[in-house]
Amino acid sequence: MQVPAQFEYERATSVDHAVALLQRYGPESRLLAGGHSLIPMMKLRIANPETLIDINGLDELGTIRLDRDEHGAQLCLGALVRHAELLASAVAGEHFPMFHDAERVIADPVVRNRGTIGGSLCQADPNEDLSAVFTALRAVAVVQGPDGRRLVPVREFHVGPYQTVVEDSEILVEVRVPVRPGGGSAYTKVERRAGDWAVAAAGAALWLDGGRVAEVGLGLTAVGADRFGAPRAEEFLRGAPATEESFAEAGRIAAEHCRPVADQRGPEDYKRHLAGELTVRSLRRAAARARGLEA
Amino acid sequence: MTTHAADTTPMGFGSMRRKEDARFLRGKGRYLDDIVLPGMLHAAILRSPHAHARIVSVDTSAAEAHPKVTAVITGETLTGLGLAWMPTLSHDVQAVLATDKVRFQGQEVAFVVAEDRYAARDALALIEVEYEPLPAVVDATRALDPDAPVIRDDLHKTDNHIFDWEAGDAAATDEVFATADVVAECDLLYPRCHPAPMETCGSIASMDPVSGKLTVYTTTQAPHAHRTVYALVAGIPEHKIQVIAPDIGGGFGNKVGIYPGYVCAVVGSIVTGRPVKWVEDRSENLMSTSFARDYHMHGEIAATKDGTLLGVRVKVLADHGAFNNTAQPSKMPAGLFHVFSGSYDLKAAHCAVTGVYTDKCPGGVAYACSFRITEAVYLIERLVDVLARDQGWDPAELRMRNLVRPEQFPYRTALGWEYDSGNYPQTLRKALDLAGYAELRREQAERRARGELMGIGVSFFTEAVGAGPRKHMDILGLGMADGAELRVHPTGKAVLRLSCMTQGQGHQTTFAQIVAEELGISPDDIEVVQGDTDQTPFGLGTYGSRSTPVSGAATAMVARKVRERARIVASAMLEVAPSDLEFAKGRFHVKGDPAASATMAEIAMAAHSDLELPEGVEGHLDATCVYNPPNLTYPCGAYVCVVDVDPGTGQVAVRRFVAVDDCGVRINPMIVEGQIHGGLADGIGMALMEVLAFDADGNHLGASFMDYLLPTALECPSWELGETVTPSPHHPIGAKGVGESATVGSPPAVVNAVLDAIGVRDADMPLTPAQVWRSMQGRPLRTDVAVT
Ligand SMILES: Cc1cc2nc3c(=O)[nH]c(=O)nc-3n(C[C@H](O)[C@H](O)[C@H](O)COP(=O)(O)OP(=O)(O)OC[C@H]3O[C@@H](n4cnc5c(N)ncnc54)[C@H](O)[C@@H]3O)c2cc1C
């Protein structure tokens, strides 16, 4: 049995309380959400926080809801929404089927029952799936700290592997995804085995205007894409005909601009190939969904 | 076909639910880590971060000052006790705790004993070890280079060579190759993989300072061999050692040998006067305990132009890691690898195996491999496919025409084995029929025309299990024979004591059924005792699928002895001569007078009663037996695997797997099928995902289950099983072992299927998506090193 080093434990009773605890215990403290990244690292003694601040009691961070205001509708996902809850959410699946595509292949049911979307984003693992999904969807993160709340586009959320803009005394509370009609989305992942992290994965969200691409969002993971994005491929697609040829070219561009690193999941050339191949597959499926040809 | 247990307990052979499952399914198994002894301390091991380094100094003072630490043991401590090195299972020595150098990443350097396991683990960080790193030998194919660093300077070696070993007739084989019409050759790596049992290894040593008795609770498949080794290594008298194996959560060969942590726990208990528990964690299990395989093979196969196989020639480079600790019969440094002529009637065959040291973990123990038959079957079954591909022959037909024919049994192979029985063509035919082979080939052609990649892989294997006989097979001089002891109590309930040790195979059920079959006592009324050396007769334990062939035979024989004693008691009860009695399940009756009879329970009571027994006949109803197998048993099987490969990503989906096994008489068909299911899953794991690779510095790249992938239910199709039954002629109940059959036979079927799908001649396991894609590009990866 792997055993972690000693640590103090605190249980937050509100978001404000969590922030106060973070301030009190300082940079050697860590928030504990699902614990499926943090606790394995503690057991391996890669992470040795002095204090864990458990936010699992903060029910207000566990909801999924559709919000409508003057700017339109947005899907609001609390930071403590579990992978399994997102997978089961009809409203999330209805607007963005790529959530369900991705959640079906994130880890295994045991991990999905505990792991949270906030923990996933904040862990900022370069092979993480939801970061690519939220990047494709141009989601916005809501971060709360001692000075109140701030909004950070997910495309500016990550500052490097395992690093985000969330400060030591801040907490991610919510992720908001703008909802616009006429779109389709899809997520495709290659893994060595069910439950494994991605060898590579790509997500695409596509809005059509007749035969053309009105708007598009792409997200790539595990292939060294800058902030999980493929902006050049998006640029190429915007306004282009929504055809196989366009998707193939977008895939080529996405592959060209990522920087995969070889590891036991695969060599660099294979991952680069997948970046393109999976981008194409997700675009194809997203388009079919946008056209109502596929669920 | 899947067999389900009947609701009623069979009085003998037949499917019945496993007696042990009532506790396992309720989470009431009692494993090593469940055991808590009064005053018990906990230990942790400091391991080397380097693959090869000289130890300059070890400073334990800060660790010793930790308030909860009771002892810190180093190589120096052990040197003082003469225990720094221990013998391996293969005529070598292995460091218990490193003194001079570390020779693999994860090697044991110091042992901390503390009040709890947290403190023991914390104290590891307080030990200061100064290392002087040395270049590591990682690539086995470079281990014998003249400029390769020498790993075993402790043995005063000047190179990394361990042994050269040959089998078969080299000249006759060369002759066959010289005159053959066609020859196919191929390089094949059977990569290093790991048994990865769910329960890791561990031990609790408790030296009683009053009685001088050492009790060792440990995760062992071979408790009696462990006891003898402790006696030999530690100098403790053997009658003062009791080894107890509690429930074991999987072994697969990982729990045959003795690990440094076990020896350290014994020393720790002697030093502290308290019981010491050491249980390794997952990474330790994957990094430092017995691996399997790691055979670099170059094989050649010769045939006539009309498709008659003639001979096989193979050179093997065997990577044994830093200490030669492979477990196999002592006289056979490559185990039973020389069954590689497989199931075919060949004129000649020859192998030359060279073993080398590398800076990797030692081991190479039988991991569900029947002493390297896994490698042998992979070799021949890949070669046959390569030849078929080269010549444009159908691989199933090529196999069918070359199988040993039923009338040739007992069949002596070109390599000297005597296969006991089998009807190979019938077994293969059944598998092909179940699979609908011809129809599959038609479907494949259709799909190919549409650009879809579907593959069909066939393998046929002959296993060789149930080691001894003792004169040919021993480990550390201990002959491979096993004991059984059976006592029928006065009320007719019985206890059977065995030398083998279950790790999940269902021994408590299967062995009770053997007694039931012989005596007519219900399996529910028979207690099977194993895993405690004070309570069971001597024997070499459970590995190499030997429990049913050896201990199963011992059980049948001991039950027959008891039955003959029961006959005498019954003759006294019924007042007739013993020869006038007939046995029908559960009772003796007078020939021609079925009403004059006595049940086994009545006989048992009489045997313990005041009944006057014939002169010279002792009372009670019990017997002991030692079974020394006259030969191995040779199970066989034919497997067909169907896969679909995604051409754009290289992902493999195993669509179907048909397995027809012949393991002779099936005692509990449900358990047999369970064993086959597990082995098939294992085969999919090895073929598609499992590998222990190392980078150029000798860093272990598979030290967690995130890195060392095991298959899940999602990679497994619904198995399609079939059977043929050819009893072993020399086994008392005609049974052959089955535990490893599917692991041995399935990897080549999967690999053959994938390569068939992508139209590639050869590529090494594991066939990960990356490896499949690169193979399709004509640039397969070398899978035993870091992917670059
Ligand atoms: C076996 C296994 C397989 C996995 N496979 C995949 C996979 O295929 N794909 C994938 O994407 N992921 C995978 N994961 C990761 C899984 O999704 C994790 O649950 C997730 O990455 C982290 O979520 P968590 O809630 O468990 O976070 P925790 O482990 O609790 O926290 C992770 C980090 O985020 C911080 N944190 C958590 N919540 C917040 C917050 N609200 N605000 C600020 N900081 C916060 C924590 O302090 C910590 O530093 C796998 C994990 C395991 C164990």
Side-chain angles (χ1 to χ4, degrees):
Chain A
M1 189 173 87
Q2 275 150 335
V3 291
Q6 198 163 327
F7 56 87
E8 299 298 318
Y9 175 86
E10 291 275 4
R11 196 167 170 83
T13 52
S14 67
V15 174
D16 287 338
H17 185 217
V19 171
L21 289 169
L22 283 169
Q23 282 183 290
R24 182 178 344 145
Y25 288 101
E28 294 306 314
S29 64
R30 290 285 199 94
L31 294 175
L32 175 70
H36 269 296
S37 289
L38 185 52
I39 289 180
M41 290 196 303
M42 289 169 65
K43 287 180 159 193
L44 292 167
R45 301 201 179 202
I46 297 168
N48 297 291
E50 286 171 8
T51 310
L52 285 188
I53 300 165
D54 187 346
I55 56 172
N56 281 280
L58 306 186
D59 293 341
E60 66 267 38
L61 300 187
T63 56
I64 299 177
R65 61 175 207 287
L66 200 61
D67 244 21
R68 288 177 204 281
D69 60 18
E70 64 277 19
H71 309 297
Q74 49 187 356
L75 183 71
C76 301
L77 306 167
L80 271 185
V81 167
R82 313 280 167 183
H83 291 300
E85 290 166 343
L86 184 53
L87 179 56
S89 164
V91 59
E94 179 197 332
H95 292 284
F96 305 107
M98 71 189 298
F99 276 129
H100 287 181
D101 293 348
E103 285 296 1
R104 262 192 286 273
V105 291
I106 290 176
D108 49 55
V110 177
V111 174
R112 292 201 291 261
N113 283 341
R114 295 293 300 167
T116 65
I117 65 158
S120 296
L121 276 181
C122 293
Q123 180 66 22
D125 189 303
N127 304 315
E128 206 274 315
D129 288 295
L130 289 183
S131 300
V133 172
F134 286 125
T135 296
L137 295 175
R138 291 192 175 76
V140 175
V142 182
V143 178
Q144 184 168 336
D147 305 325
R149 292 191 167 194
R150 59 187 178 115
L151 301 186
V152 185
V154 163
R155 292 181 176 210
E156 291 160 25
F157 186 81
H158 298 97
V159 291
Y162 308 102
Q163 285 178 311
T164 70
V165 298
V166 180
E167 303 280 343
D168 286 342
S169 50
E170 287 185 318
I171 168 171
L172 171 68
V173 290
E174 192 170 85
V175 184
R176 296 179 184 162
V177 187
V179 175
R180 293 199 291 129
S185 67
Y187 191 76
T188 323
K189 172 175 172 177
V190 166
E191 49 189 5
R192 293 173 298 176
R193 186 209 66 192
D196 188 23
W197 291 78
V199 180
L206 201 64
W207 286 264
L208 296 180
D209 180 6
R212 296 202 168 263
V213 177
E215 186 51 274
V216 60
L218 295 173
L220 294 170
T221 196
V223 291
D226 184 29
R227 293 172 191 239
F228 300 94
R232 287 200 176 80
E234 290 173 347
E235 235 163 79
F236 164 80
L237 279 171
R238 211 170 286 122
T243 58
E244 270 297 308
E245 292 69 38
S246 303
F247 298 163
E249 179 59 12
R252 199 195 57 72
I253 298 170
E256 185 185 325
H257 289 282
C258 60
R259 286 193 305 278
V261 181
D263 60 16
Q264 293 312 98
R265 292 195 173 81
E268 188 262 338
D269 60 348
Y270 174 61
K271 292 187 181 184
R272 190 181 293 283
H273 162 78
L274 286 183
E277 175 73 24
L278 301 182
T279 297
V280 173
R281 291 188 185 191
S282 287
L283 282 168
R284 191 182 290 146
R285 192 145 191 226
R289 281 171 170 162
R291 294 182 174 118
L293 301 174
E294 199 180 311
Chain B
M1 179 194 77
T2 298
T3 304
H4 297 283
D7 281 333
T8 51
T9 305
M11 191 62 79
F13 300 165
S15 288
M16 67 177 272
R17 291 201 187 94
R18 306 194 330 161
K19 293 171 64 176
E20 42 271 82
D21 284 345
R23 72 175 187 282
F24 289 147
L25 295 178
R26 292 183 172 92
K28 300 289 184 196
R30 187 163 181 261
Y31 298 93
L32 179 86
D33 214 8
D34 295 322
I35 297 172
V36 177
L37 300 181
M40 189 172 78
L41 298 168
H42 297 262
I45 291 179
L46 181 71
R47 295 178 181 277
S48 166
H50 301 287
H52 198 192
R54 197 162 297 289
I55 295 180
V56 179
S57 62
V58 182
D59 179 356
T60 59
S61 50
E64 277 165 55
H66 189 290
K68 285 186 166 178
V69 168
T70 35
V72 180
I73 296 164
T74 63
E76 203 180 328
T77 327
L78 295 182
T79 303
L81 301 167
L83 287 175
W85 296 82
M86 63 178 183
T88 71
L89 299 175
S90 304
H91 310 294
D92 194 356
V93 289
Q94 172 176 359
V96 176
L97 293 175
T99 48
D100 53 341
K101 289 201 302 189
V102 288
R103 293 174 170 86
F104 66 94
Q105 190 187 47
Q107 187 179 337
E108 299 79 0
V109 175
F111 188 81
V112 173
V113 185
E115 293 293 335
D116 60 57
R117 61 169 46 141
Y118 291 86
R121 178 65 184 76
D122 290 348
L124 296 184
L126 302 175
I127 300 174
E128 299 261 1
V129 184
E130 192 188 328
Y131 294 101
E132 178 193 314
L134 300 168
V137 182
V138 180
D139 183 347
T141 65
R142 308 295 301 278
L144 296 179
D145 286 359
D147 60 346
V150 175
I151 299 168
R152 297 303 300 280
D153 41 352
D154 61 298
L155 300 176
H156 308 293
K157 288 193 68 79
T158 54
D159 60 21
N160 297 312
H161 181 265
I162 310 178
F163 64 83
D164 286 315
W165 184 78
E166 289 183 45
D169 186 332
T173 309
D174 290 347
E175 172 68 29
V176 159
F177 272 81
T179 55
D181 302 329
V182 290
V183 171
E185 61 183 307
C186 184
D187 284 318
L188 298 152
L189 168 67
Y190 208 131
R192 186 177 271 242
C193 47
H194 200 275
M198 201 188 309
E199 180 203 31
T200 60
C201 299
S203 182
I204 303 168
S206 177
M207 173 59 99
D208 183 336
V210 179
S211 65
K213 182 165 182 177
L214 171 70
T215 307
V216 182
Y217 298 85
T218 190
T219 52
T220 175
Q221 305 173 218
H224 290 276
H226 276 217
R227 186 187 64 200
T228 304
V229 172
Y230 286 126
L232 295 173
V233 171
I236 302 167
E238 197 168 356
H239 66 294
K240 293 284 191 187
I241 304 173
Q242 180 179 13
V243 174
I244 300 173
D247 283 331
I248 295 185
F252 315 106
N254 191 235
K255 292 168 179 167
V256 171
I258 288 189
Y259 293 116
Y262 302 177
V263 177
C264 289
V266 172
V267 174
S269 180
I270 293 172
V271 169
T272 61
R274 290 163 67 179
V276 173
K277 177 190 274 188
W278 171 72
V279 181
E280 64 186 6
D281 67 29
R282 180 62 58 197
S283 298
E284 293 181 290
N285 180 256
L286 288 166
M287 288 179 83
S288 70
T289 63
S290 292
F291 70 93
R293 326 282 195 262
D294 219 340
Y295 261 31
H296 298 251
M297 303 181 274
H298 178 78
E300 295 170 276
I301 187 163
T304 63
K305 61 178 177 303
D306 64 346
T308 301
L309 302 180
L310 300 172
V312 173
R313 199 157 57 180
V314 53
K315 281 195 162 49
V316 180
L317 186 67
D319 184 341
H320 281 231
F323 308 101
N324 184 19
N325 192 8
T326 178
Q328 73 246 318
S330 300
K331 300 179 185 86
M332 304 174 180
L336 313 191
F337 179 72
H338 51 309
V339 299
F340 66 84
S341 61
S343 316
Y344 309 107
D345 187 18
L346 301 184
K347 283 194 163 45
H350 179 257
C351 71
V353 183
T354 297
V356 295
Y357 290 119
T358 58
D359 285 304
K360 299 179 196 167
C361 162
V365 79
Y367 156 33
C369 79
S370 299
F371 301 123
R372 301 214 183 268
I373 295 175
T374 315
E375 290 90 324
V377 167
Y378 185 68
L379 171 85
I380 181 75
E381 291 306 297
R382 284 292 302 123
L383 280 179
V384 168
D385 253 48
V386 166
L387 175 70
R389 185 189 140 83
D390 286 357
Q391 299 301 322
W393 295 332
D394 179 89
E397 264 169 47
L398 180 59
R399 285 180 171 83
M400 187 62 95
R401 80 174 279 162
N402 287 284
L403 290 172
V404 174
R405 293 182 312 279
E407 64 275 14
Q408 288 176 290
F409 288 94
Y411 174 78
R412 185 161 287 276
T413 73
L415 293 150
W417 301 95
E418 190 179 292
Y419 292 0
D420 58 349
S421 65
N423 186 338
Y424 293 176
Q426 183 195 34
T427 306
L428 179 56
R429 173 55 46 216
K430 189 156 186 183
L432 295 175
D433 288 349
L434 264 174
Y437 185 75
E439 180 49 41
L440 285 171
R441 287 284 175 208
R442 259 195 300 281
E443 181 191 342
Q444 180 184 37
E446 273 171 37
R447 285 184 185 267
R448 274 210 184 130
R450 294 200 299 266
E452 293 172 20
L453 302 179
M454 165 186 172
I456 304 156
V458 179
S459 72
F460 196 102
F461 68 90
T462 298
E463 257 271 63
V465 301
R470 62 198 297 170
K471 74 168 184 278
H472 296 316
M473 302 201 195
D474 69 275
I475 285 185
L476 288 175
L478 302 171
M480 291 193 177
D482 281 70
E485 186 191 312
L486 179 63
R487 290 184 207 161
V488 183
H489 300 316
T491 53
K493 316 280 180 190
V495 57
L496 173 71
R497 298 167 188 279
L498 296 172
S499 56
C500 59
M501 179 59 206
T502 187
Q503 309 125 46
Q505 297 94 331
H507 285 187
Q508 280 168 336
T509 309
T510 297
F511 288 87
Q513 289 185 264
I514 297 174
V515 174
E517 179 77 18
E518 298 292 337
L519 295 184
I521 299 173
S522 168
D524 294 333
D525 293 337
I526 300 162
E527 187 70 12
V528 177
V529 178
Q530 31 177 359
D532 180 339
T533 56
D534 274 10
Q535 290 208 50
T536 56
F538 188 85
L540 278 214
T542 296
Y543 43 84
S545 301
R546 62 191 299 282
S547 293
T548 295
V550 186
S551 291
T555 299
M557 299 305 268
V558 82
R560 287 173 195 177
K561 277 190 181 178
V562 164
R563 195 169 69 206
E564 286 319 297
R565 183 178 285 201
R567 177 190 295 276
I568 296 171
V569 176
S571 76
M573 292 166 74
L574 300 170
E575 296 176 335
V576 293
S579 55
D580 287 336
L581 290 172
E582 239 166 29
F583 185 73
K585 238 178 216 182
R587 65 174 63 225
F588 276 103
H589 63 81
V590 179
K591 281 181 190 162
D593 183 8
S597 73
T599 65
M600 198 50 77
E602 290 162 350
I603 297 169
M605 186 57 86
H608 292 84
S609 73
D610 57 359
L611 176 75
E612 193 77 51
L613 292 173
E615 194 75 25
V617 176
E618 297 167 20
H620 304 178
L621 203 50
D622 52 28
T624 62
C625 157
V626 177
Y627 188 76
N628 178 26
N631 187 9
L632 299 166
T633 66
Y634 294 84
C636 68
Y639 291 173
V640 181
C641 176
V642 183
V643 302
D644 296 295
V645 177
D646 183 325
T649 64
Q651 284 168 296
V652 175
V654 179
R655 192 205 306 174
R656 289 181 65 196
F657 202 106
V658 172
V660 175
D661 272 87
D662 190 332
C663 59
V665 171
R666 296 186 174 201
I667 298 158
N668 183 325
M670 182 196 74
I671 288 182
V672 167
E673 289 181 9
Q675 293 283 294
I676 293 169
H677 288 180
L680 295 177
D682 215 0
I684 285 183
M686 285 179 293
L688 300 184
M689 62 194 80
E690 292 182 44
V691 63
L692 295 178
F694 294 80
D695 72 11
D697 296 325
N699 292 309
H700 191 292
L701 302 177
S704 80
F705 279 159
M706 243 173 68
D707 305 297
Y708 190 80
L709 297 182
L710 294 174
T712 73
L714 292 176
E715 283 75 42
C716 298
S718 183
W719 313 112
E720 300 170 64
L721 304 191
E723 65 172 61
T724 57
V725 177
T726 327
S728 170
H730 63 74
H731 188 274
I733 54 176
K736 304 178 177 183
V738 75
E740 294 156 311
S741 284
T743 318
V744 165
S746 57
V750 180
V751 172
N752 287 343
V754 174
L755 297 183
D756 181 52
I758 63 177
V760 167
R761 188 176 185 268
D762 59 88
D764 288 326
M765 299 184 282
L767 296 168
T768 59
Q771 172 69 329
V772 171
W773 184 78
R774 283 288 288 264
S775 300
M776 289 162 69
Q777 316 276 309
R779 296 177 298 126
L781 297 163
R782 184 163 164 190
T783 54
D784 59 335
V785 297
V787 172
T788 52

